[in-house]
Amino acid sequence: MDAEALAVVAAAVILANLPALLGLVHVDPLAYRAELTRTFTPGLLGGRPTIDPSNGFNSQAIGHLAVFDLLHLHLPWWNPYEGTGMPLLGETQSAALFPPTLLTALPNGQLYEHVLLELTAGICTYRLLRRVDLIRPAAVAGAVAFALNGKFAWFTDATVNPLAFLPMILLGVEQAYDATRAGRRGGWRLLALAGALTAYSGFPEVAYADLLTAVAWLGWRVGCLPGADRARFLVKIGRGGAVALLLGAPMLLAMADYLSHADLMNHAGTLLGSHHLPLWEAPQLLMPYIFGPVNGGHHQGIWVMVGGYLSTALVLLAALALATPERRGLKLVLLAWTALVFGHMYGVPVLGDVLGALPEMGRIQFYRYATAALAFPVIVLAAVGLDELTRVARGRGRLMAGTLGAAVAIAVAAVVSGPVIASFQKPVPAREAFLEASIAWAGLTVLALGGLALLRRRRARGMALALVVILDAIVLFAVPELSAPRAVRTDLAPVTYLRRHLGEQRFFTLGPIQPNYGSYFRLASLRLDDFPPDSYAHYVHTRLDPFTNFVGYQPAWAPSARQELLRRLDGYRAAGVHYVLTRPGDGLPSDHGSLRLVFRSPTAWIYRLSRAAPFVSAPGCEVRSVHLSHMRLFCRRPTTLIRRETWFAGWGAELDGHALRIHRVDGLFQAVRLPAGVDDVSFRFVPVGMRWALLGLLAGSVLMVSPTTWRLLMRAPQMRRLVAPEPSTV
């Protein structure tokens, strides 16, 4: 029966993604993020299919480079195509060593990656809910609800990667709990695996919120054990956590090393921790599209800060679960955790300060990244409520009260949302239709749950209630897909031109081949949308553009990037910029021949910037060959070689096999001293301490498999004969 239940979970995930899987809509970020779109047929609903452009600029563009490196048997330590070069693995959002990222090597691979993550989330949630003795229909409903939760629906960047492993971590806790009760060894390996995958998933803020959720669940399970077993249980949890740290050591070390040398902008202090969602946005939790389509033409703050949704059906079922005394311990823990998360997200006085006191919480956009930590306990409570409605038909009075309460909540949400929608400065496409459809759908699901819960046959009641939850999850998940473009033609002619002419030099863009997409096409782009190394940030602010913030264009009051480019051409030359890209018709003036138009296409004009500094320069030398990390020169005298790549701890250089000391020039670039003669110079980057981290990975892998491997070997007759004692000859 579990196989059939899991098949339903998988079918729901596939059905929800079917428009994209069939190619009826195009969700590939390249189609609408890279600004290389030649023709574009917009989606049916307006807006965008996702909230955060990081799904293109970071997850796709930089992740694609990491996969390219891996498939060519290179470890993805460094990205030479972003800015003047920066760490690749340590940047985290590329999820460079996250196994599902390999799927992005396929056309439209990001879609397949997220379908895999949704399936993993659903399967693990189902297994977890069955572990806590929920009936199959309730477990299936809860599994589908989490597999298609609001975070998965509205985001496709690295923020969704850790979601699949929240239920896996909790399932690992359950396995350790069962092993403790049965007096068995082990029980910690799934926890270790889930923890390691969470580390590699590429978004520490979401992982932090998920781990806090796991701590709450762990607290409940500790309370379920007698005193004598608690220590053994915690030892298993500690062992799983320690092995997870060993397995994730390469990622954790690279991340810590890079973030300690990066310009984190508003993440550097406690500013983000003081921000919360306004309470007038709370109706969006119950009715996700009450304010219109995702990133529709209205108040931008709604979509900039929000991180997902629940649904009216889930909240109703969760409330019904809390109204009964069964499973009191689990319900109280889930309710308390939900209240703490909601309080911190929406800035509820006193209640919201509890999580705010935790380490590093002030640096995190909790209101946006912790949505799964809010959704998961509500979904589990909803599954418990569905289970209890199925096992025993509740009295009409309690059921009617719950339905009436949900109807009142819908009405209040609609009343609150009305003035908000009316205040939008830009019109929302068919905003009345979205408001009315949201109210109608929420009311329909509430009435369906209330009516079906009164069915007399338990099996039919459970399946019918589960079907409503599943249908609700699929419909709400699929709405953003209708905002995706239905047809796209991409213009790759600018990419082809740069591949032929750029060489090891860089280009700067005022639009086409948007920031970070140079990494996707393996073309060195000076412009980036990321947290850059602090040395690069200082160079940009002092030599190129003092107003840029690296995660978007200049604020409205500042001079444009175009104005700053024309004002500071010498700084761009010194960084090795050889070409400048603009949108068609947005011409650049020729300043004494500095900029010359050399290419036109429907999406880009390309200008050549004269007198750009070469990627490698060495006075008194003839440069015979240059590659990104290797060059051959003939020097008539001792000299200094300058390589216009970001100096960063971890870089090493060799001259004909002998180590060279690298020093920093111009505050940013690399330089080495060379003797006279013919020299082969090579450069290599490995994050500081990575050899120790790889040893940790090896140790963790041995700890994961060694007992199992030993038992398997001992079962083989040949091995038993080898280790059996020799018969005595005495």
Side-chain angles (χ1 to χ4, degrees):
M1 292 294 290
D2 281 339
E4 289 85 348
L6 291 174
V8 172
V9 174
V13 170
I14 298 300
L15 181 61
N17 288 279
L18 201 57
L21 291 170
L22 293 178
L24 303 177
V25 297
H26 297 267
V27 295
D28 184 354
L30 185 66
Y32 52 91
R33 299 292 188 203
E35 205 167 306
L36 288 172
T37 304
R38 186 169 184 172
T39 60
F40 183 94
T41 304
L44 297 174
L45 295 183
R48 294 278 187 168
T50 60
I51 290 179
D52 198 320
S54 294
N55 71 322
F57 300 150
N58 297 95
S59 297
Q60 182 183 55
I62 309 175
H64 189 269
L65 174 63
V67 173
F68 179 87
D69 283 352
L70 287 170
L71 294 179
H72 287 79
L73 304 181
H74 299 296
L75 289 172
W77 301 142
W78 186 259
N79 179 1
Y81 304 110
E82 188 177 359
T84 53
M86 60 183 286
L88 178 52
L89 177 62
E91 186 271 348
T92 73
Q93 292 190 65
S94 64
L97 294 179
F98 185 50
T101 303
L102 290 170
L103 289 173
T104 61
L106 302 173
N108 211 21
Q110 198 177 72
L111 171 64
Y112 306 137
E113 178 188 14
H114 291 140
V115 169
L116 174 62
L117 292 173
E118 291 156 15
L119 289 170
T120 303
I123 291 169
C124 291
T125 302
Y126 175 82
R127 293 293 186 189
L128 177 68
L129 295 177
R130 291 291 289 156
R131 285 263 182 176
V132 295
D133 297 325
L134 297 192
I135 61 172
R136 285 189 177 86
V140 169
V144 172
F146 190 69
L148 303 176
N149 70 71
K151 190 71 177 178
F152 275 130
W154 284 355
F155 292 81
T156 56
D157 60 347
T159 60
V160 305
N161 291 353
L163 301 191
F165 308 109
L166 171 57
M168 186 183 290
I169 289 173
L170 301 184
L171 190 58
V173 171
E174 288 298 302
Q175 288 190 358
Y177 175 79
D178 289 345
T180 301
R181 292 183 62 191
R184 299 194 312 268
R185 290 184 174 184
W188 52 267
R189 284 181 174 78
L190 182 60
L191 178 62
L193 176 63
L197 289 171
T198 299
Y200 284 108
S201 62
F203 217 90
E205 294 96 326
V206 177
Y208 187 20
D210 288 355
L211 290 176
L212 291 176
T213 306
V215 170
W217 188 282
L218 176 64
W220 167 59
R221 274 312 191 190
V222 168
C224 293
L225 289 170
D229 288 337
R230 289 176 183 172
R232 292 192 298 115
F233 175 55
L234 291 175
V235 166
K236 292 180 184 294
I237 298 298
R239 187 174 298 172
V243 174
L245 290 174
L246 289 172
L247 292 173
M251 179 68 194
L252 296 173
L253 181 139
M255 177 183 68
D257 178 55
Y258 176 59
L259 294 182
S260 66
H261 297 88
D263 182 358
L264 300 178
M265 291 172 283
N266 57 352
H267 288 264
T270 59
L271 177 64
L272 293 178
S274 64
H275 291 174
H276 307 282
L277 292 173
L279 280 173
W280 56 260
E281 286 190 22
Q284 207 172 22
L285 279 176
L286 297 177
M287 294 175 282
Y289 306 102
I290 196 168
F291 296 134
V294 171
N295 280 350
H298 52 77
H299 192 290
Q300 190 181 15
I302 289 177
W303 298 108
V304 165
M305 296 181 68
V306 73
Y309 58 81
L310 300 173
S311 77
T312 311
L314 292 174
V315 173
L316 172 59
L317 288 171
L320 291 175
L322 294 171
T324 60
E326 293 87 351
R327 298 186 178 91
R328 179 172 298 173
L330 175 60
K331 292 177 181 178
L332 288 177
V333 168
L334 294 176
L335 175 62
W337 178 243
T338 301
L340 290 175
V341 174
F342 180 87
H344 193 55
M345 290 176 67
Y346 286 88
V348 177
V350 181
L351 187 64
D353 297 332
V354 177
L355 293 182
L358 294 176
E360 300 299 314
M361 195 61 74
R363 299 172 181 248
I364 296 175
Q365 291 177 295
F366 192 84
Y367 47 84
R368 190 174 196 185
Y369 297 144
T371 311
L374 176 67
F376 189 81
V378 173
I379 288 170
V380 173
L381 283 172
V384 171
L386 196 156
D387 175 272
E388 293 175 352
L389 284 172
T390 302
R391 290 180 188 271
V392 179
R394 299 297 171 189
R396 287 178 178 269
R398 184 176 297 168
L399 183 58
M400 291 301 295
T403 305
L404 181 61
V408 170
I410 294 170
V412 171
V415 170
V416 171
S417 300
V420 176
I421 296 173
S423 70
F424 292 156
Q425 295 179 354
K426 295 181 180 180
V428 178
R431 63 184 182 185
E432 292 81 7
F434 275 94
L435 174 63
E436 294 167 2
S438 296
I439 294 171
W441 181 257
L444 181 63
T445 55
V446 165
L447 290 175
L449 290 173
L452 294 173
L454 298 177
L455 291 175
R456 293 182 177 275
R457 295 179 59 188
R458 286 195 298 175
R459 180 179 175 84
R461 185 165 65 243
M463 294 181 66
L465 291 172
L467 185 60
V468 172
V469 174
I470 292 170
L471 183 62
D472 182 51
I474 292 174
V475 169
L476 295 180
F477 180 93
V479 168
E481 291 181 88
L482 300 180
S483 295
R486 288 169 287 166
V488 175
R489 286 181 62 198
T490 303
D491 175 24
L492 295 181
V495 174
T496 302
Y497 180 88
L498 290 176
R499 281 179 171 168
R500 289 175 179 170
H501 298 89
L502 189 63
E504 311 302 331
Q505 301 295 108
R506 296 189 173 93
F507 73 91
F508 181 77
T509 180
L510 293 171
I513 311 184
Q514 277 277 297
N516 302 0
Y517 270 98
S519 301
Y520 184 91
F521 296 112
R522 299 184 301 286
L523 298 167
S525 171
L526 187 69
R527 196 162 194 171
L528 55 76
D529 188 313
D530 213 334
F531 296 133
D534 50 14
S535 57
Y536 174 79
H538 182 265
Y539 183 92
V540 169
H541 288 146
T542 56
R543 300 283 301 275
L544 305 180
D545 187 344
F547 303 100
T548 191
N549 61 11
F550 302 110
V551 288
Y553 293 124
Q554 277 89 336
W557 53 265
S560 68
R562 182 178 186 273
Q563 291 172 316
E564 292 302 310
L565 166 71
L566 296 175
R567 188 177 302 160
R568 303 168 186 267
L569 285 177
D570 285 343
Y572 289 87
R573 289 189 179 99
V577 171
H578 202 51
Y579 291 98
V580 177
L581 276 66
T582 71
R583 297 178 179 91
D586 188 12
L588 295 175
S590 176
D591 181 13
H592 304 293
S594 294
L595 290 163
R596 183 167 62 90
L597 182 63
V598 294
F599 175 84
R600 298 187 188 194
S601 84
T603 62
W605 285 6
I606 301 180
Y607 289 80
R608 181 170 181 169
L609 178 61
S610 64
R611 304 188 305 277
F615 178 67
V616 170
S617 61
C621 295
E622 175 190 345
V623 180
R624 294 182 173 177
S625 64
V626 175
H627 300 285
L628 284 174
S629 57
H630 181 267
M631 52 228 58
R632 185 175 178 84
L633 308 93
F634 171 69
C635 298
R636 293 180 294 275
R637 56 181 171 81
T639 187
T640 297
L641 179 149
I642 297 176
R643 180 173 179 258
R644 285 170 176 80
E645 190 83 10
T646 304
W647 183 95
F648 204 88
W651 273 106
E654 290 186 349
L655 171 64
D656 299 326
H658 300 286
L660 290 174
R661 179 179 176 271
I662 303 177
H663 57 276
R664 192 184 321 199
V665 295
D666 209 5
L668 179 61
F669 303 123
Q670 302 171 15
V672 295
R673 289 289 299 171
L674 298 180
V678 179
D679 301 313
D680 285 299
V681 185
S682 60
F683 292 80
R684 185 186 181 195
F685 175 79
V686 178
V688 176
M690 184 52 67
R691 290 175 178 82
W692 291 105
L694 293 174
L695 284 175
L697 171 62
L698 178 61
S701 301
V702 170
L703 290 172
M704 283 286 286
V705 304
S706 57
T708 304
T709 303
W710 180 251
R711 284 196 296 270
L712 290 174
L713 288 173
M714 290 303 295
R715 287 175 186 167
Q718 298 88 343
M719 180 58 70
R720 284 201 297 267
R721 286 196 295 269
L722 282 174
V723 300
E726 293 289 338
S728 174
T729 58
V730 176

